[in-house]
Amino acid sequence: MDAVLRRIKPLNVASTDCGFVDTPMPVFELVDPRDLWVDERYQRGLSERSFSLIRRILRIFDWRRFKPPVVTRTPEGHLHVIDGQHTAISAASHPKVLRIPVMVVEAADMASRAQAFIGHNKDRVAVTPMQIFHASLAAGDQEAAVVARTVAKAGARILRCPPRNGAYEVGDIVSVRAVQSAVASLNPAKARIVLETLVKGGCAPLSADAIKACALILYDPLYAGETTPDEIARAVERLGPDVDDRARREARQNKIPAWRALGQIYHRTAVAGRRMRAAA
């Protein structure tokens, strides 16, 4: 894979558009994670999902993936975690981790600590499944490589992010999870046929509902063998992009998932198309 490097460059912004609070710059310290505290008046409590995350961090613990928790020292001398309590708990639970780096910021009173907590959890851009997939591919993940080969053979592509103008091209995929699920539940060869069928039908983009609907009609025992991939591709092309609205209406009427309603529409249209060709 060719290297794509992007240097950090400043944006052209006016100084009046930049906030600044004259507090001391953060400093890094090495501390025993068991000496950290969490204030549950503004922090999140631990749920089953939290414990699952902590166990996963422990299983794959790696200093290269470690993000130092953000903490503040209270007037009593305690270090309160503002951001990164799951990381801190996993480190405290690891028998070989005795000290961790933390970033210490100044926030003496509870209100300022709570505001800092909100800022850390609000002012961030979430990593999308598409970005995670491409990162996994670059890291040499074998499952990601299988998915990538399957998609390429089908004439499709997994985007890194949705197009800014919303203009998708035929074969564009934004639902990585739907493709991963198809590869895992069917197999790469069958998943390729599903994607290839939608590409031939002119799908732009290949949505999660379209992928699941096409897989349903091709491989579910209730429908398998009743239509061919080419017949479904012609049905998809004939139905066009407005079929999604139609599927949602039928889903509401019949109280079924939208993807299943879409699959039924694909099936009816494919069967009707075959009959029309036979009668011609």
Side-chain angles (χ1 to χ4, degrees):
M1 182 182 295
D2 294 335
V4 181
L5 301 177
R6 176 170 55 85
R7 187 172 183 174
I8 296 295
K9 294 182 179 179
L11 297 178
N12 184 19
V13 295
S15 60
T16 53
D17 292 330
C18 301
F20 189 79
V21 177
D22 192 13
T23 54
M25 185 181 294
V27 296
F28 278 89
E29 294 184 13
L30 287 176
V31 303
D32 184 335
R34 300 154 194 85
D35 289 336
L36 301 176
W37 297 76
V38 172
D39 189 337
E40 292 195 340
R41 287 176 293 178
Y42 60 86
Q43 277 273 24
R44 290 166 287 192
L46 295 177
S47 62
E48 281 303 316
R49 185 176 178 184
S50 299
F51 290 119
S52 296
L53 174 59
I54 292 165
R55 293 188 186 99
R56 184 166 66 86
I57 295 173
L58 277 167
R59 284 195 302 270
I60 59 175
F61 195 92
D62 185 334
W63 286 117
R64 293 169 298 182
R65 304 173 67 159
F66 187 86
K67 183 182 293 184
V70 180
V71 306
T72 187
R73 184 169 278 106
T74 68
E76 296 78 23
H78 292 156
L79 287 175
H80 283 201
V81 178
I82 291 175
D83 186 57
Q85 69 160 314
H86 297 106
T87 299
I89 295 171
S90 66
S93 306
H94 200 300
K96 293 185 178 181
V97 176
L98 303 180
R99 293 197 300 171
I100 62 171
V102 295
M103 187 172 78
V104 184
V105 299
E106 185 174 295
D109 58 89
M110 195 272 285
S112 60
R113 294 195 289 273
Q115 289 172 353
F117 167 78
I118 294 169
H120 277 282
N121 288 276
K122 181 179 179 182
D123 301 333
R124 64 175 66 181
V125 177
V127 179
T128 67
M130 293 182 288
Q131 293 166 334
I132 292 174
F133 169 78
H134 284 288
S136 299
L137 191 61
D141 182 87
Q142 290 303 305
E143 291 183 4
V146 170
V147 170
R149 286 195 295 271
T150 302
V151 169
K153 288 178 181 178
R157 62 172 184 154
I158 295 175
L159 301 180
R160 291 181 180 273
C161 60
R164 290 184 179 180
N165 59 2
Y168 291 97
E169 296 181 6
V170 173
D172 285 352
I173 296 174
V174 292
S175 180
V176 180
R177 289 173 181 159
V179 180
Q180 292 169 325
S181 177
V183 171
S185 62
L186 301 173
N187 61 48
K190 289 181 177 179
R192 176 186 61 78
I193 293 173
V194 169
L195 301 177
E196 198 173 60
T197 299
L198 294 170
V199 170
K200 288 181 178 178
C203 260
L206 275 63
S207 67
D209 282 354
I211 292 169
K212 289 191 285 187
C214 189
L216 173 75
I217 303 308
L218 282 175
Y219 299 115
D220 188 276
L222 187 63
Y223 298 99
E226 295 187 7
T227 55
T228 67
D230 283 342
E231 289 172 339
I232 297 173
R234 283 192 287 266
V236 171
E237 184 177 22
R238 180 181 172 188
L239 289 164
D242 292 340
V243 70
D244 292 331
D245 291 334
R246 178 178 167 187
R248 284 190 285 269
R249 289 195 299 271
E250 291 196 12
R252 287 194 296 270
Q253 291 170 359
N254 299 319
K255 295 181 173 57
I256 58 175
W259 64 267
R260 185 171 290 276
L262 182 59
Q264 292 173 356
I265 295 171
Y266 283 169
H267 180 261
R268 292 198 304 267
T269 307
V271 171
R274 181 202 301 160
R275 290 170 181 165
M276 289 175 59
R277 288 190 297 276

